[in-house]
Amino acid sequence: MHVMNESGRVEAFSDGVFAIAITLLILEIKVPEIGEHGGLWHALGAQWPSYAAYVVSFLVIGIMWINHHQVFSYVARIDRTLMFLNLLVLMVVAAVPWPTAMLAEYLREDKASHVAAAVYSMVMVAMALAFQALWWHLTRTGHLFDARVDVEGARRTRVRFALGSLAYPATVGLAYVSAPLTLAAHGLIAIYYGFNQVPVPTRTPDRAALPEDGR
Amino acid sequence: MHVMNESGRVEAFSDGVFAIAITLLILEIKVPEIGEHGGLWHALGAQWPSYAAYVVSFLVIGIMWINHHQVFSYVARIDRTLMFLNLLVLMVVAAVPWPTAMLAEYLREDKASHVAAAVYSMVMVAMALAFQALWWHLTRTGHLFDARVDVEGARRTRVRFALGSLAYPATVGLAYVSAPLTLAAHGLIAIYYGFNQVPVPTRTPDRAALPEDGR
Amino acid sequence: MHVMNESGRVEAFSDGVFAIAITLLILEIKVPEIGEHGGLWHALGAQWPSYAAYVVSFLVIGIMWINHHQVFSYVARIDRTLMFLNLLVLMVVAAVPWPTAMLAEYLREDKASHVAAAVYSMVMVAMALAFQALWWHLTRTGHLFDARVDVEGARRTRVRFALGSLAYPATVGLAYVSAPLTLAAHGLIAIYYGFNQVPVPTRTPDRAALPEDGR
Amino acid sequence: MHVMNESGRVEAFSDGVFAIAITLLILEIKVPEIGEHGGLWHALGAQWPSYAAYVVSFLVIGIMWINHHQVFSYVARIDRTLMFLNLLVLMVVAAVPWPTAMLAEYLREDKASHVAAAVYSMVMVAMALAFQALWWHLTRTGHLFDARVDVEGARRTRVRFALGSLAYPATVGLAYVSAPLTLAAHGLIAIYYGFNQVPVPTRTPDRAALPEDGR
C-alpha cells in the first residue's frame, strides 16, 4: 500500500473544509421580512430557531475540528484508507449546514420539527461513525502514528470512545420527544467533547495529551 | 489543563474563517432589477446602502483580522479556554454578513433602519466582548504568551483596552439617532483600530510592538 | 521563460479552491418544502437525487484533489504554462457545483435527465483533459519535476494515463441510456482513481510512489 | 511606524480571499429552467453569457492572484499602509462576483448591457488603481522589499506599469460600443498580464524575475 508521508497537506485541506463549512452556516439565517403586525424586532424574535441552530452547529463543527486536529497532530503518515475515511468525515462535516437550515426552518412546526431534529441527529450519528472508523483504522496497527504515541494504550481507548458515541443515537430518539431539547442536547454534547478531547496516550509522560487529560 | 503548543494551526483555521466571512459579504449585494421608470444606472444608484455596508463590514472584519493576527503572533501555547474563546470570536466574525445584509436592506426604511442599525451595533459589541475575554484570559497569567511579552505590561493594557471598547455600546444608542450615521461610525472605529492595534508590550525594546506603537 | 521556484504557494491556492468547491456542493441540497400530501419524511425522500449527486461530486472533487496533490508533491518549479494549465484545472473543478445541482434537479425528469447527465459528463471530460494537459506539460521536458522523478518513466505513463481518461467520454454516451447510471459510473470512476492514483515513477526505489503503486 | 515582519501571514490571508472569490463565481451560473418551447439544451444555450462571464472573471482573478503572489514574494516586511492597501485590493477582488453576475444577467439586453459592462470595467479600473497604489507604496522607499530587489529599478517600472493600466479605463468607453466585446477585452487583458507579470527587478542576475522576464 502506498504511503504518503505528509499529513500536513491533508490536515490543511481538512482545515479548509472545516473553516468553510462553519462559515457557510450563517447563510442559513435570513434577513427577516417585516410582517403586517409587529416591526423588525418582532420579525427578528420570530427567527430565534435560526440563531439557536447557528450557535449549536458552530460549536459542533468547531469542536469536531479541535478533535480532528488533535488526532492528526499525532499522525505521521497517511495511507489511502485514511485518506478515504478522512474524506468521509469531511463529507459529513460539509453537509452540516443543510440539516441546520432544515431544523431552524421547522423547529416550531409540531410534526415536522421531530423529523427535522431526527435528521439533524442522524447526521451527527454519521459524523461520529465516520470519526470512529478513522480512529479504529489509526489504532489498528498504529503504524501511521508518530513515535510519541503509545499504540497499545490508544487501542484500549476504542471501547470508551465508542461508548461515548452512543450519545448520538440517543438523540435520534430524543428528537421524537422535543426538537428544541434535541438541539440543546447537541450543544451540550459538543461542549462536553470540547473539554473531553480524544485522549491520545503517549509513551512517555511529556507535554502532550495524557489519558488523564481526557477528562 | 491540557496545553497544545501549536498556535499556528489555530491561527490558520481562524484566518480561514476570517477570509471566508469577508468574501461572503459580496453575496449581500444583489444584481439590481430594472424598475419601470429609470434604467440600470437608476437601479444601481438605489442600492447604495449595500455598497456602504459592504465597505464598512469589509473594513471591520479585515481590521479585526489584523488585530487577531497581531495578538496571536505573541501566543506560543493554546489551552482549551483560549480555544473556546477563539471559537466565540470566530462565531461572531462569521455572523457579520447577516447584520450587514439586514442593515443594507432596511437602511432607507425609517423605523426598521434604527432596529437594523442597533442589531448591527450589537453584533459589534459581541465581537468586542469576545475579543476582550480572549485578551483578559491571555493576560491573566500570561503563561500562553511567548518569551518576548512583558506580561505585567500586557495586564496593564486591559483597562485602556476595555475603555476603548466602550465606543461599541455607544453605537447602539446612535442607531436610534441615525442608521447611516451608525454605519459611518463603525467604519471610522474600524479605521481607528487599524492604526491603533492591540499594543502587546514586550520586555526588551525590539522591532516588535512597543506600547507607544499602540497610539 | 520565467520560472518561479515555489510550488508550495500554487499548491496552497489550489487546495483552497478544491476545499471551497467541495464545501459549496452542500448549497445544492435545499431545505425541502412540505407538500400537500405526505409530511417532511416524504419530502426528504423525494430529494434523493440531491443526496446522490452530493456524494458523487464530493468523491470526484476529493479524489481529484488527492491526485492533484500527488502530482504537485513532485513538482519543484512552476513556469507560466503550468500556472495557466493549473488555472484551467481549477476553473473546471470550481465549476462542478453547477452541473451537480443541475443533475440533481433533473435526474427524475425523463428527457432533461439525459441532457443534464451529458453536461455533467462533459464537465468531467473537461476536467480530465485539463489534467492530462498539465501532465503532458510536466512530462514533456521534466525540468519542473524535482530530482526524485524518473522523467523517462513519467513520459511513458502518458499513454496509459490518456487511455484511462477515455472512460469519461464514454459516460457522455451513457448519459443517453440512463442518468442515474451515469451518476453511479462517475462515483465508481472516482473510487477507481482513488485507489489508482497518478503513478509518478521515481529514479530510485524509495518510500515515494513507485510505478507498481499505481495499480 | 510599526513594522510587522511576517509577510507570509498576509499573503496566506490574501490567498484565501482570492481562492474564495474565484470559487464563488460559479454561484452566478444558475440551473436553467426549461421554457415552454425548447428543452434543456435550448435553455443551456441561452445561458452563454454566464459561461463567458465565468471564464473571463476566473482568468481575471486567477491572474491577479499570480501577480499579487509575484509581488509579495519579494516583500519581507509589512507596514500598516501596506496592510490597508492590500485590504483595498482584496475588497475589489472579493467584489468581482457581483459585476460578473450582473454582466451575465444583462449581456443580451440592449441598453442595460452597456451599463453592466461599464460597471464591470469600472470594477477592473478600481482593481488596477488599488494594485498601483500598493506598488507605488512598495517602490517609494523600497524598505519593505527583501534584499534581492533593485529598488531603483523597481521605481523606474512605475510609469510603464501605470501606462499599462490605462487599458482599463479604455474598456469603460468600450462598454458603450459593445458589452460582449468589453468582456472579451477583459479576457485578453487578463491573458496579457498572465504572460507579462509585474517585473520586479533584482540586483543580481539570479533565478528570480529579471526585467526582461517581464515581457
Side-chain angles (χ1 to χ4, degrees), chain C residues 26-85:
Chain C
I26 198 63
L27 299 183
E28 165 248 327
I29 310 189
K30 304 292 181 212
V31 172
E33 284 175 42
I34 303 176
E36 283 165 34
H37 33 274
L40 186 50
W41 279 125
H42 182 81
L44 280 163
Q47 274 198 158
W48 69 263
S50 289
Y51 316 139
Y54 174 75
V55 169
V56 171
S57 288
F58 201 97
L59 286 175
V60 164
I61 298 181
I63 284 156
M64 187 68 190
W65 172 74
I66 295 176
N67 280 299
H68 183 276
H69 168 55
Q70 166 88 344
V71 166
F72 270 82
S73 69
Y74 290 98
V75 171
R77 280 163 296 279
I78 308 273
D79 65 8
R80 283 178 192 166
T81 308
L82 183 58
M83 206 73 136
F84 259 103
L85 292 173

Side-chain angles (χ1 to χ4, degrees), chain A residues 8 11-12 15-16 18-20 22-24 26-27 29-34 40-41 44 47 51 54-55 58-59 62-63 65-66 69-70 73-74 190-191 194-197 207-209 213-215, chain B residues 1-6 9-10 12-13 16-18 20-21 24 27 80-81 83-84 87-88 90-99 101-102 105-106 109 111-116 118-119 122 176:
Chain A
E11 213 177 339
D15 283 5
F18 275 99
I20 300 153
I22 213 171
T23 316
L24 286 183
I26 198 62
L27 299 184
I29 309 189
K30 304 290 181 213
V31 172
E33 285 176 40
I34 302 175
L40 186 50
W41 278 124
L44 280 163
Q47 273 198 157
Y51 316 138
Y54 174 76
V55 169
F58 201 97
L59 285 175
I63 285 157
W65 172 74
I66 295 176
H69 168 55
Q70 166 88 343
S73 69
Y74 290 99
I191 290 170
F195 285 98
N196 294 274
Q197 292 166 13
R207 78 221 174 324
D213 270 333
R215 64 176 57 94
Chain B
M1 187 163 51
H2 173 66
V3 172
M4 275 173 282
N5 66 338
E6 310 159 55
R9 296 303 305 270
V10 176
F13 178 75
V17 172
F18 275 100
I20 301 154
L24 286 183
L27 299 184
R80 283 179 191 164
T81 309
M83 205 73 136
F84 259 103
L87 264 190
L88 212 64
L90 296 180
M91 196 187 281
V92 185
V93 168
V96 169
W98 173 69
M102 184 162 59
E105 174 94 10
Y106 291 116
E109 292 188 25
K111 213 170 140 196
S113 76
H114 300 304
V115 179
V119 171
M122 282 156 66
Y176 283 93

Side-chain angles (χ1 to χ4, degrees), chain B residues 7 11 69-77 135 138 144-149 198-202 206-210, chain D residues 2 6:
Chain B
S7 74
E11 214 176 339
H69 168 56
Q70 165 88 343
V71 166
F72 269 82
S73 68
Y74 290 99
V75 171
R77 280 165 295 279
W135 184 242
L138 277 174
L144 301 176
F145 280 129
D146 66 26
R148 287 171 299 166
V149 177
V198 181
V200 183
T202 52
D206 63 0
R207 80 223 171 324
L210 295 169
Chain D
H2 173 65
E6 311 160 56

Side-chain angles (χ1 to χ4, degrees), chain B residues 25-42:
Chain B
L25 288 172
I26 198 62
L27 299 184
E28 165 248 326
I29 309 188
K30 305 291 180 213
V31 173
E33 285 176 41
I34 302 174
E36 282 164 37
H37 35 273
L40 186 49
W41 279 124
H42 182 81

Side-chain angles (χ1 to χ4, degrees), chain B residues 11 15 30 32 54 69 195, chain D residues 9 80 84 91 98 106:
Chain B
E11 214 176 339
D15 283 4
K30 305 291 180 213
Y54 174 76
H69 168 56
F195 286 97
Chain D
R9 295 304 304 269
R80 282 178 192 164
F84 259 103
M91 196 187 280
W98 173 68
Y106 291 116

